[in-house]
Amino acid sequence: MDLEALRQGSFGRLSQAVAAWKGVADKLEKLEAEARDDLKAKADRANWDGVNATVSRGFITKTAGEFTDARTQATTIHDILKDTHDELVSYKKQLEQALERGRSQNLTVSPIAGGGFTVTMLVHPDRAAEGHDVPDHSPQDAELLRDDVQRILNRATESDTTAATVLRAIVNQAEVGFSGASYGDRDSAIEAVRAAEEAARLLKDKGDELSPEEFRRLSGLLASNKNDPLFQEKFATQVGPKGILEFWADLSSPDSPNELTQKLTKTELNQLGEFQKNLGVVLGGATQSDSPAMRQWENDMVRLSGERYKVRTGDVHGYQIMSNLMRTGDFDDRFLNRYGNQLVATEEKMRVPGNYWQGMGQAVPRMNFIGDSEFGRDPMSGFMTALANSPDAATEFFNTRDPHDNARWVLKDRPSFDDSPVNDGPNETLNATGKAMFAAVSGATGPDAPKTDFQPHTPAHTEAMKRSMEFLAATGNDFPAELREPMAFAMGNHGDTVHKAMSDPLGSHGLDADQVLEVSKQISRNKDTYVELTHQMHYAIEADIRTERAHPEDSLDRAGRTIGFLEEARYQATNDKRDGDLTDASWKRTWAYHLLGGAITPWHPAMDAAQRSVDAVASAWLADETARINNEAEADHTKTFENRNEELRALADVWYAHNKEWAEDPAHEGYSKNHGVYGSIGASANDGNKKAEGVAADQ
């Protein structure tokens, strides 16, 4: 900004723009509240069906979110414009004061061609009017005035240009729609941009030739700005996808004693995991930007992940590098699915991907520094972790059949391999796959997610559940042990559907009875996951009892049938000798039941009110199990159900407490307290047992 622009500047139009954006922000705040509290609230409460359940609900939810982003962007623009306006007005005043001080010393400031200025004497003493003394000044006074004016112009220029920079950056965050980036002033926004530029310059220009001091600086910049949207987008686009992949390949495989990892202290090497986490958060946040530059970045990353990158011992695949940077952060759903579809296609062509991921005889460096459980050679592990953190993307991935059936591949067909330093525990990739599967069927990041994170099931969630059940049931006795617990939680999350499938004599409730039995049986091969499945179904039974009002007797019948079904599944799991003893060592431990309660079952609508009664049922059930099953998890089939009385009595008591008035109505015979209700649920349990036996005979 030159001298005349600031001195003659009229900021009235800028002031009008500030006021106008304030009005826009205020109006959008009201519209946001209406969209959230009226439009979206009604959509959440509505009983959607068919296409409306996916298209209309999704459209309304997205529209409500757009109002929020619009209000955020308008507020940010207003705050930056106001900040800039106030600063420019202040700088103009400072300039006027400096010029006035100069005049008091007989100095004036005049513009010159090219945008500069000069400080000269205002009135030469020889030309002063007779009788008038001209104020005296020294050469230092002229220099001070020159420096003051230049300092003011520099600051005004900085204010003006940085405002333009950050406003363009914020608007560019969304190619269509609005950005959710929020900044209260121009300084914080431009600081984020400059920090990103510095971090990108360090990583791109130096790579693994960074000095320890430079690495610490880079690590600090990522840690301090990892959640800033402008930092995320600017850093990712300036480094570029190839720069990211090459940097991590070099960092993972030092090629000479001069490499960075040879220079870091032991403590700093141990902190590489935190660096990896922060880098993942930055990249994930960057993919949420809709800027044209980031769209191109994502396209290039999907393509470049299929290429190989040189390391000391040979080369590694881009998938192996990028998947390890996906373990943290919230990556864009579209990017995840494009990446995942290509990864599945690549693995299916490999047929035995573990051979390739382990280097075909060549040593493959460690690429994961988060924890010590796995080297990071299996790209599916990091990718599944990313899906577990992004439930919508997980649902889409598990329902994708074209060009490849993703769920079939990761749940049934994919050969797993050990990627841990010592093969002494669960397979980490299968663990991650179980978490991703649960996210796909539930819409939440885990069974312990906050209650507010659980959304009503969409048809897509239901479809993902059916497909997961189908492919896992098809594994038979090869059912991965790592998937038992997540599948138990998944069945609990869909407890109403699973409960009806277990208890319906005709099997007409959407889940295949054969598959439900097989999965229940495989879960029951481990005592702990059997406990969890039973506990989950107690919640489903409780919810059914509380909500069934048209025909209360049906909920009692369903309760008994489901208990019988579970009993038969457990019996088959622990006593089927056709394929040898397939139970694991957990059945040889002493019975212990940890009531985790509502912390892991927030998806049931009646959980807060139902917790005590569910815990009472669980305690009664545990008493039955302790009495019935010996250390070898064996029992005479004819006595399998003789000692389940405590559990059935407890459930009958819960049912009677909710339906006392109906049960005592003379028109409803056979449901008397302490007798009829017990007989009814016992008979239903026997029917459930017979149903499961019949299903097993058909398998």
Side-chain angles (χ1 to χ4, degrees):
M1 183 172 291
D2 61 31
L3 176 70
E4 286 304 293
L6 183 59
R7 178 160 59 182
Q8 304 299 331
S10 173
F11 301 110
R13 294 182 64 184
L14 182 56
S15 179
Q16 292 173 5
V18 171
W21 277 104
K22 180 65 167 64
V24 170
D26 290 344
K27 291 177 181 177
L28 286 172
E29 185 175 11
K30 295 178 181 178
L31 290 173
E32 177 199 10
E34 292 177 4
R36 180 187 63 246
D37 300 334
D38 186 26
L39 183 67
K40 186 176 184 299
K42 288 179 179 178
D44 290 341
R45 292 193 301 267
N47 185 21
W48 298 95
D49 192 20
V51 175
N52 278 330
T54 51
V55 178
S56 298
R57 185 198 294 273
F59 174 77
I60 290 172
T61 300
K62 183 176 181 180
T63 300
E66 283 291 321
F67 277 108
T68 299
D69 288 345
R71 192 267 306 167
T72 299
Q73 183 165 323
T75 301
T76 298
I77 291 173
H78 164 267
D79 292 344
I80 291 174
L81 287 177
K82 185 177 185 305
D83 189 33
T84 305
H85 169 272
D86 293 346
E87 286 189 356
L88 290 176
V89 169
S90 173
Y91 292 139
K92 180 180 180 181
K93 185 176 182 180
Q94 292 176 36
L95 178 62
E96 291 171 348
Q97 292 171 344
L99 296 178
E100 182 59 35
R101 287 196 303 273
R103 281 191 290 271
S104 69
Q105 296 174 321
N106 195 33
L107 294 171
T108 187
V109 180
S110 304
I112 58 176
F117 66 89
T118 182
V119 178
T120 59
M121 191 179 299
L122 181 61
V123 178
H124 195 279
D126 295 343
R127 300 192 185 95
E130 187 176 351
H132 289 275
D133 293 329
V134 176
D136 195 12
H137 61 267
S138 66
Q140 289 77 18
D141 291 331
E143 292 175 1
L144 287 173
L145 177 60
R146 178 201 63 197
D147 293 344
D148 281 349
V149 171
Q150 189 62 61
R151 174 182 53 80
I152 294 168
L153 292 177
N154 288 344
R155 291 180 177 177
T157 300
E158 170 80 359
S159 181
D160 186 42
T161 56
T162 56
T165 298
V166 297
L167 286 172
R168 290 191 185 97
I170 288 169
V171 171
N172 286 339
Q173 288 287 300
E175 186 174 13
V176 178
F178 304 93
S179 165
S182 176
Y183 297 91
D185 54 62
R186 187 203 71 260
D187 287 346
S188 60
I190 197 62
E191 285 172 8
V193 172
R194 288 173 175 167
E197 291 172 344
E198 181 185 357
R201 186 169 57 254
L202 283 169
L203 189 149
K204 187 175 182 180
D205 294 349
K206 291 296 191 71
D208 59 348
E209 295 181 0
L210 288 164
S211 68
E213 293 75 21
E214 290 171 326
F215 181 79
R216 284 191 287 270
R217 175 60 179 166
L218 173 60
S219 182
L221 289 169
L222 293 176
S224 300
N225 298 278
K226 60 185 177 183
N227 295 313
D228 188 289
L230 288 186
F231 178 92
Q232 294 167 339
E233 195 268 356
K234 182 66 70 175
F235 172 82
T237 54
Q238 291 207 351
V239 173
K242 189 171 185 179
I244 291 289
L245 295 173
E246 290 179 338
F247 171 77
W248 200 252
D250 288 341
L251 190 69
S252 301
S253 178
D255 295 327
S256 74
N258 295 323
E259 300 289 346
L260 173 64
T261 50
Q262 301 289 341
K263 304 174 188 176
L264 297 177
T265 66
K266 184 176 181 180
T267 299
E268 289 169 332
L269 283 171
N270 291 336
Q271 293 173 349
L272 280 175
E274 288 302 310
F275 181 88
Q276 180 182 347
K277 290 178 183 178
N278 293 334
L279 181 56
V281 171
V282 170
L283 296 179
T287 63
Q288 298 294 335
S289 169
D290 285 331
S291 71
M294 272 310 301
R295 294 282 76 84
Q296 186 61 49
W297 187 97
E298 293 175 21
N299 292 338
D300 292 342
M301 180 59 82
V302 170
R303 174 177 55 82
L304 292 170
S305 292
E307 298 183 2
R308 298 185 181 187
Y309 298 85
K310 290 292 181 182
V311 294
R312 175 168 45 87
T313 55
D315 54 28
V316 296
H317 293 74
Y319 294 115
Q320 294 175 292
I321 302 169
M322 188 58 199
S323 287
N324 280 301
L325 300 179
M326 289 182 175
R327 294 175 182 272
T328 55
D330 181 14
F331 283 81
D332 177 68
D333 293 349
R334 293 171 300 178
F335 170 70
L336 285 177
N337 273 281
R338 290 178 56 213
Y339 179 93
N341 292 340
Q342 183 169 291
L343 174 57
V344 169
T346 300
E347 288 200 331
E348 287 192 329
K349 290 178 182 177
M350 291 176 173
R351 295 186 180 275
V352 186
N355 291 349
Y356 292 85
W357 301 141
Q358 295 183 95
M360 300 291 288
Q362 296 179 339
V364 178
R366 177 183 180 181
M367 285 169 280
N368 173 47
F369 302 97
I370 300 175
D372 298 318
S373 60
E374 56 185 316
F375 290 114
R377 296 166 182 166
D378 188 346
M380 195 59 75
S381 178
F383 175 65
M384 287 289 115
T385 301
L387 286 186
N389 294 330
S390 301
D392 290 346
T395 303
E396 181 179 345
F397 177 85
F398 275 79
N399 283 334
T400 295
R401 297 174 174 83
D402 184 30
H404 303 276
D405 194 315
N406 295 339
R408 177 187 292 275
W409 177 249
V410 299
L411 294 177
K412 178 178 177 290
D413 295 343
R414 184 181 193 264
S416 59
F417 68 95
D418 179 57
D419 188 39
S420 61
V422 180
N423 185 12
D424 59 351
N427 183 285
E428 298 297 334
T429 298
L430 290 173
N431 269 345
T433 300
K435 293 175 182 177
M437 183 271 294
F438 179 83
V441 306
S442 68
T445 55
D448 57 349
K451 188 171 184 177
T452 52
D453 286 356
F454 283 86
Q455 302 297 323
H457 290 150
T458 66
H461 294 143
T462 302
E463 180 67 11
M465 181 64 184
K466 289 181 180 178
R467 288 168 53 74
S468 298
M469 184 78 71
E470 173 190 352
F471 295 130
L472 286 176
T475 63
N477 291 333
D478 293 326
F479 192 108
E482 294 86 352
L483 299 184
R484 289 170 180 161
E485 183 177 65
M487 195 61 202
F489 282 130
M491 293 172 76
N493 184 259
H494 288 258
D496 55 341
T497 304
V498 174
H499 174 37
K500 290 175 182 177
M502 289 180 173
S503 61
D504 182 7
L506 299 179
S508 57
H509 281 286
L511 291 177
D512 184 280
D514 290 2
Q515 295 170 6
V516 174
L517 177 63
E518 182 62 34
V519 169
S520 299
K521 183 174 71 175
Q522 296 302 331
I523 290 173
S524 299
R525 293 197 184 281
N526 175 276
K527 182 188 289 186
D528 296 330
T529 53
Y530 163 63
V531 166
E532 193 55 65
L533 174 60
T534 304
H535 188 40
Q536 292 295 322
M537 297 318 298
H538 284 161
Y539 277 108
I541 291 170
E542 166 81 16
D544 184 30
I545 290 172
R546 285 176 173 267
T547 55
E548 176 60 72
R549 286 292 171 262
H551 298 284
E553 69 276 21
D554 289 349
S555 65
L556 182 65
D557 179 64
R558 287 192 291 266
R561 287 175 178 273
T562 289
I563 296 303
F565 190 98
L566 288 169
E567 289 279 9
E568 179 62 24
R570 195 276 307 157
Y571 177 81
Q572 292 181 25
T574 56
N575 292 275
D576 187 353
K577 303 302 182 184
R578 289 174 299 179
D579 299 309
D581 186 1
L582 297 178
T583 58
D584 64 26
S586 66
W587 281 101
K588 303 187 187 306
R589 296 197 300 263
T590 302
W591 278 90
Y593 188 59
H594 304 288
L595 293 176
L596 301 180
I600 59 166
T601 52
W603 49 81
H604 292 293
M607 281 311 95
D608 293 338
Q611 190 61 57
R612 282 191 296 178
S613 59
V614 170
D615 288 348
V617 172
S619 297
W621 166 76
L622 179 58
D624 286 344
E625 295 296 277
T626 305
R628 179 166 64 252
I629 303 176
N630 62 22
N631 287 340
E632 287 75 35
E634 294 176 351
D636 185 336
H637 195 200
T638 62
K639 297 181 179 180
T640 301
F641 309 105
E642 290 181 1
N643 294 318
R644 69 183 170 202
N645 292 341
E646 294 301 323
E647 179 187 14
L648 292 177
R649 284 193 184 107
L651 282 170
D653 289 343
V654 170
W655 180 89
Y656 192 86
H658 287 286
N659 297 283
K660 180 179 179 181
E661 184 176 346
W662 184 93
E664 292 181 349
D665 187 335
H668 305 135
E669 295 184 3
Y671 296 94
S672 60
K673 185 179 182 182
N674 299 330
H675 182 74
V677 68
Y678 294 159
S680 179
I681 197 172
S684 296
N686 288 329
D687 290 339
N689 165 234
K690 292 175 183 177
K691 174 185 177 179
E693 282 187 287
V695 169
D698 292 337
Q699 290 180 341

